[in-house]
Amino acid sequence: MTLQSLLRTKPVERITAEGANTQLRRSLGLIPLIALSVGATLGTGIFVVLGEAAPQAGPAVVLSFVLAALAALFSALSYAELAGAVPVSGSAYSYSYATMGEFVAWLCGWCLLLEYGVSVAAVAVGWGGYLNEFLDSAIGLRIPDALASSPSAGGIVDLPAAIVVLLATVVLIGGARESAVVTTVTTVLKLLVLVFFVMVTVTAFNSDNMEPFAPAGIAGITGGASAVFFSFIGFDAASTAGEEARNPQRDLPRAIVISLGIVTAMYVLVAVTAVGAVGSEALGGQEATLSAVMREVTGAGWPSTVLAFGAVIAIASVVLTVLYGQTRVLVSMSRDGLVPAMFSRVGKRSVPTTNTLVVGGVVAALAAFVPLGQLAEATSIGTLVAFALVNIGVLVLRRTRPDLPRSFRAPLMPITPIIGLGLCVLLVAGLKSATWLAFGIWTAVGLGVYFLYGVHRSRLNDWQHGDRAEAGQS
């Protein structure tokens, strides 16, 4: 093993050829791709994390969402360009392999596994809170805390969180087209529920609740943005569907940019009306934040019941779509030989069945025993690192392959990816030291896996040896 072997890149043409010859079924058009991206993004972030960030940033949590959205936007433009140029399932992992080499690609893929896997668990934990809220307001029944909370949160096991992950696993095994139908329906439903929330809470808007606007200053806004960045994780899920999109070069960039616009507009509206209705401090410490706001604003039970029901459906759809993203990243990593071959084997329904079952089981266990706050921050750091690499990847590919066909070009090069990279660094710096420690441990484990397994089994070894042999014979 040499430094050269760690930095070897995988040719874009080879990556694209593998995507073109995939066993996965090309069944997704623009609308399902937008639904996949919105569905993976619009969930626990706004339904739950708003309550954790608002006390920290005050009413300026609205600006925290805007700052996080800007970081996501500049990265989304880079994602859109690479998704159009390298339309395969691996998302940022495949883009890094084509631009910065195998070692960086492995680190990026490892971060994506953290992003997708941990975010699914975090979303599932948030789902349990809204399920309890719905059951309580609808039929006066609550799941006992011992069976609805992780051990560190005072319970034994978070059973609802584990169950929703396992249900999503079953749906995914049914096939990509069937999963897309479920995702589209639930995405429309969650948008309607959030519009309902905005329409109700805007009637109780009180400008006094917006003062003082930024009690903790810039530090509070930046810290809040680092926390709520979790809310924007998922827009890149569309890029993991590169091998199941009917026209990936055209539709993937559109789906990424359109979905981020929809999500950002909805987040800002919800944050403004929620803070304006009850104040930022009142949002803290709530298990089902938006349902609690509805109850306080209306003084009636049925609006919060409607919202809780919508949240149960909405958050479950996020579990489904983000779990999908993780399995597709593993397909690409497995196909490259960096993780075992079982993760890329496709079953009768054109689904990586073993991959889906293993991922679903591991994530269900994670959701059952780890609390939301720790999961959300671990997800944010993994995502920000992956986004930073995508921004670098666009710059590298523009320089090394200016001739490569691109269906979408990030505007104002090289300013756009540089700003995206800078914003990712800014938000990473706002995360807690405990989060950095957890990320360091995760990275160390990943390096161990790569150097003990992946570097020796990389299929790029075989391809390069074959190319040399062919050159020698000729």
Side-chain angles (χ1 to χ4, degrees), residues 330-378:
L330 273 172
V331 165
S332 288
M333 296 179 73
S334 173
R335 197 162 52 200
D336 290 331
L338 301 184
V339 296
M342 68 176 183
F343 289 106
S344 57
R345 294 195 188 107
V346 175
K348 295 180 180 179
R349 291 181 173 270
S350 299
V351 172
T353 307
T354 303
N355 175 345
T356 305
L357 289 172
V358 171
V359 169
V362 171
V363 173
L366 196 61
F369 296 107
V370 182
L372 174 65
Q374 295 176 16
L375 291 170
E377 290 219 349

Side-chain angles (χ1 to χ4, degrees), residues 89-168:
S89 289
S91 183
Y93 159 76
S94 294
Y95 309 153
S96 298
Y97 215 156
T99 57
M100 290 172 281
E102 184 175 281
F103 180 69
V104 175
W106 169 263
L107 290 178
C108 184
W110 196 246
C111 286
L112 287 174
L113 295 184
L114 178 67
E115 170 193 344
Y116 286 115
V118 178
S119 67
V120 170
V123 167
V125 172
W127 182 82
Y130 274 98
L131 177 64
N132 248 342
E133 175 72 19
F134 171 69
L135 292 175
D136 187 25
S137 58
I139 59 177
L141 175 68
R142 290 185 66 87
I143 301 171
D145 290 342
L147 299 178
S149 302
S150 63
S152 61
I156 298 174
V157 60
D158 194 333
L159 198 57
I163 288 174
V164 72
V165 174
L166 295 176
L167 289 175

Side-chain angles (χ1 to χ4, degrees), residues 134 137-138 196 200 291 294-295 298-309:
F134 171 69
S137 58
F196 172 66
V200 171
S291 284
M294 290 286 272
R295 191 183 303 107
T298 64
W302 71 265
S304 64
T305 302
V306 170
L307 189 89
F309 174 74

